[in-house]
Amino acid sequence: MNTLASLHPGALAIVTKVRAEGALMHRLAALGLRAGNQLLVLRQARFRGPIHVRIGTTELFLRRADARHVEVAASHVMQTASAGASRPVPSIASPRA
């Protein structure tokens, strides 16, 4: 059983199951960690610290204790939300005085 906590930076995976209960299950689901969603591990903090993950366009940090509840399967192909469609990137403009 592979968990999110066992992945290395650069790993692409698909969430297969979330083994958590109660508030933790709701929190992980709200963050996008649901079966079928693809994720990319961006980096890991030193000394067994948090894991930086991208799910779709959302980036989040997870404690390793929480990441152990997320089962994953390796993926080699990046899935896109909508093939062929592109969205403009919003820009942040400062207000003029």
Side-chain angles (χ1 to χ4, degrees):
M1 163 180 80
N2 286 337
T3 66
L4 178 53
S6 67
L7 297 179
H8 297 287
L12 199 56
I14 295 177
V15 176
T16 56
K17 191 171 200 174
V18 178
R19 293 187 180 268
E21 296 177 4
L24 179 59
M25 177 66 146
H26 291 291
R27 178 176 173 267
L28 294 175
L31 291 171
L33 291 165
R34 293 184 289 269
N37 284 357
Q38 187 176 48
L39 59 88
L40 172 66
V41 178
L42 298 173
R43 57 190 164 154
Q44 296 178 344
R46 292 186 195 181
F47 307 112
R48 309 300 290 167
I51 301 171
H52 186 185
V53 178
R54 178 180 297 143
I55 302 171
T57 59
T58 303
E59 292 185 14
L60 54 108
F61 286 87
L62 280 177
R63 294 178 292 197
R64 285 190 189 265
D66 294 344
R68 286 187 193 102
H69 293 279
V70 181
E71 292 183 14
V72 296
S75 176
H76 301 290
V77 178
M78 186 66 144
Q79 297 173 352
T80 57
S82 55
S86 63
R87 272 191 248 163
V89 177
S91 62
I92 301 173
S94 60
R96 296 182 186 228

